[in-house]
Structures are given as structure tokens and as C-alpha cells.
Amino acid sequence: MTNKLKIVFMGTPDFAVPALESLVRAGHEIQLVITQPDRPKGRGKKLSPPPVKVKAEEYGLNVYQPENMKGDEQFETLMALSPDAYVVVAYGHILPVRILEIPRLGPVNIHASLLPKYRGAAPIQWSIINGDEKTGITTMFMERGMDTGAILLQEETPIHPEDTSESLHDRLSLIGAGLILKTLEGLENGNVVPVPQDHEKATLAPMLRKELGRIIWSDSAARIDFLIRGVTPWPGAFTELGGTFYKVIRAIPVALDVTGATPGQVLSESKSELIIAAADGAISIMEIQGASGKRLGIRDFLAGNKISKGSVFT
């Protein structure tokens, strides 16, 4: 790209940081970084800055942290800057229409799915929970509706059998960082043509709830595997035995004949394996967190915790 654009960047969590880094390294003028206010975090409830603010300050960029984008001050601030484009990545606030209309090239959002599939807050997690074989990044124009704007560019990536939401999150954030540069260049040069979404094919990816992480052992081994990987690291997959809750960090499906076994039943007594029956096949637990609060490999866990054959997790 020959033209360096004037950009207002809006983003908050770790997922947005690679895109900000990419824009800075490409030489674009980041006029302002808008992110959510510092929030209390941890046991001490100490105010903590969002990751995008930390990175922006490392670059010496101007940072703006309004509670929302509804006020006249926010509107007038952006009007005065007259940016070529917004780049918005997991900012966390709805932008009013009058603010969306300010940039010359438009407000561009990076979304972590292949729209119109998985509109909403948790597209990465749901793509794994639902057992999809691929996902990707979409750059799109923002409009009044959530994730409903015209598609600019998309890039696919496979979902590997070992992927968790954490690993897929990291890979997609890097893909987004590259795709936003191609998108801005295409918009500036007229080579990227917005394509309206097919709303009939839209699906939703709502925010996860903690209870979603409970393992339903009457599901198939494949679906339990999808759930464990999709809710890791948050809210985390969990199960219960004898009144104690266990967080399952890592597991793999195992092809076993479980005829006659109760879903959730421990199939063997071993110092190195914990294999639990599902509706079809079984799940071998590789890493687990018990009452001690420590994440342990299964061999270390079983060295200090006796799980009898025939016990039934619920």
C-alpha cells in the first residue's frame, strides 16, 4: 500500500492487540485508540488496564476510554479527527449510527467467524463446541445491526482435533491482523467490493454461561470432546464425583465398546489412565484440576487421588 491511512482503532481484549500492532508496523497513522475503561481485577480488585491500552501506550498512542460511545463528546472528538477508517476489534460497545457514518472509507470490523455464521459474542467457542471442521476471519462494514454488515474479505482456517478455544483464538487474531491490511488496501484502491450477507444463512454465537461447561456423559464421546475443547479456558469443562467438582483441562475421545456401562462410569482402575464411559465410546482424561486447585497431568493426579473402577461421574 502506498497511501498511509488515518485510522481510529477501537478494541479491548488480547484478541485485538495483533491487529493494532499490524497497523502500526504498516505505517498507518493511528490517530486515537478507543478502548474500555480500566476495570477492577483479581482478588484485590485493583484497577487493571485492558490489553489494547497497554499496547497502545507502549507505542505512545493517544488513548480514549469513555464508558460508551453515545455522547456528544465522543461524536465531536471523532468528527474533529476526520479519520479515513475505523478498525474495530472486539471493542465491546455498540456504535451509534452518526458515529459509524464519520470515516471516509467506513467503519471496518474484524469478526472471528465466517459470517453470516456465528454472529455474536462467542464465535470461536461455538465453532468448536459444534464440531465444525473450519472457521475463519471476516472483515466487514459495521452498520446498525450486530455483525450484519456487508462482507469485505474472508480467510479460512481449519479447526484441528487438538484445538481449544484458546489456541484457535490466538491463531485467528493473527489472521485478522493480516487480513485487515489487505482490506484497507483494497478499500483505498477500490479492489474490495462489499458483498451483502445472506441473512437466511445467519446463525448466532451467544455469550457462554458457566453452566454450559458441565459435561453431559450421556452425549457421544465426540460431542464431549468438542465441549471440553470449546469451553477451554473459559468457562472450563467440569464434572462431579461424590460431591467434589473436577475441572477437565484436556482429554481425548477413545473408541471403546461401552455396552452395559453407565454414561460417566469409570471403566478401569489404573495409576496412569482415567477412562470414562460416554454414550458411545469413552473419554480419556489427560489433565485435570481437582479439589486442590492445581492442574495436574493424569498420572500425577491419580498418584494422590484414588478413583475406583465403577464410580460414576455426573
Side-chain angles (χ1 to χ4, degrees):
M1 176 183 284
T2 54
N3 294 334
K4 304 305 179 186
L5 301 177
K6 296 184 299 179
I7 292 172
V8 170
F9 186 90
M10 304 185 196
T12 299
D14 288 323
F15 186 80
V17 170
L20 177 59
E21 292 177 311
S22 178
L23 293 166
V24 170
R25 290 171 183 165
H28 292 297
E29 178 189 350
I30 309 300
Q31 297 175 297
L32 186 64
V33 173
I34 302 179
T35 187
Q36 292 205 21
D38 297 2
R39 305 288 189 197
K41 193 174 180 181
R43 291 183 178 178
K45 301 296 181 185
K46 183 179 178 182
L47 279 180
S48 179
V52 162
K53 179 182 180 181
V54 174
K55 181 56 64 178
E57 290 183 340
E58 285 179 17
Y59 285 126
L61 301 172
N62 293 323
V63 175
Y64 183 40
Q65 296 178 278
E67 284 291 340
N68 58 59
M69 294 299 291
K70 298 177 181 177
D72 289 341
E73 176 189 299
Q74 294 87 320
F75 174 72
E76 289 163 6
T77 297
L78 292 168
M79 282 293 288
L81 291 172
S82 186
D84 294 314
Y86 302 150
V87 172
V88 183
V89 194
Y91 171 46
H93 282 310
I94 300 294
L95 301 183
V97 170
R98 65 173 180 166
I99 282 184
L100 293 175
E101 292 175 341
I102 292 174
R104 174 178 64 87
L105 293 176
V108 180
N109 178 241
I110 299 175
H111 185 78
S113 80
L114 299 173
L115 289 169
K117 198 170 186 179
Y118 296 130
R119 294 173 177 172
I124 297 173
Q125 293 88 340
W126 283 108
S127 68
I128 297 179
I129 292 170
N130 288 335
D132 291 358
E133 295 182 350
K134 68 178 182 180
T135 184
I137 286 288
T138 300
T139 54
M140 52 168 264
F141 277 144
M142 300 178 70
E143 58 178 27
R144 184 189 298 269
M146 179 179 287
D147 303 330
T148 58
I151 293 170
L152 300 171
L153 290 176
Q154 292 186 316
E155 185 171 330
E156 295 183 3
T157 185
I159 298 178
H160 304 298
E162 67 276 13
D163 266 330
T164 65
S165 288
E166 186 172 34
S167 64
L168 190 55
H169 165 283
D170 292 349
R171 191 159 74 249
L172 287 172
S173 70
L174 296 177
I175 292 173
L179 197 63
I180 190 60
L181 297 184
K182 296 175 186 175
T183 301
L184 293 173
E185 181 175 1
L187 287 174
E188 178 69 354
N189 296 335
N191 299 327
V192 168
V193 179
V195 177
Q197 293 188 37
D198 183 347
H199 300 301
E200 295 295 321
K201 294 182 178 178
T203 62
L204 298 179
M207 190 174 296
L208 302 186
R209 295 171 288 102
K210 190 171 183 179
E211 185 58 27
L212 180 71
R214 178 181 281 277
I215 296 172
I216 307 298
W217 292 104
S218 56
D219 279 346
S220 69
R223 292 214 62 83
I224 292 172
D225 173 50
F226 298 154
L227 176 77
I228 293 170
R229 294 189 290 114
V231 300
T232 298
W234 198 93
F238 66 92
T239 186
E240 184 180 357
L241 177 65
T244 299
F245 285 90
Y246 297 88
K247 190 171 183 179
V248 178
I249 310 295
R250 191 162 54 90
I252 56 173
V254 181
L256 283 179
D257 181 0
V258 295
T259 302
T262 300
Q265 184 176 334
V266 176
L267 297 177
S268 65
E269 192 160 328
S270 164
K271 293 182 179 178
S272 59
E273 287 185 326
L274 178 56
I275 298 178
I276 303 173
D280 65 340
I283 292 291
S284 179
I285 308 296
M286 310 300 290
E287 188 175 359
I288 192 168
Q289 178 178 314
S292 71
K294 293 182 179 177
R295 293 173 53 158
L296 295 171
I298 196 60
R299 186 182 293 272
D300 291 337
F301 172 79
L302 291 173
N305 296 270
K306 180 175 175 58
I307 305 293
S308 301
K309 181 180 179 180
S311 302
V312 178
F313 283 89
T314 59

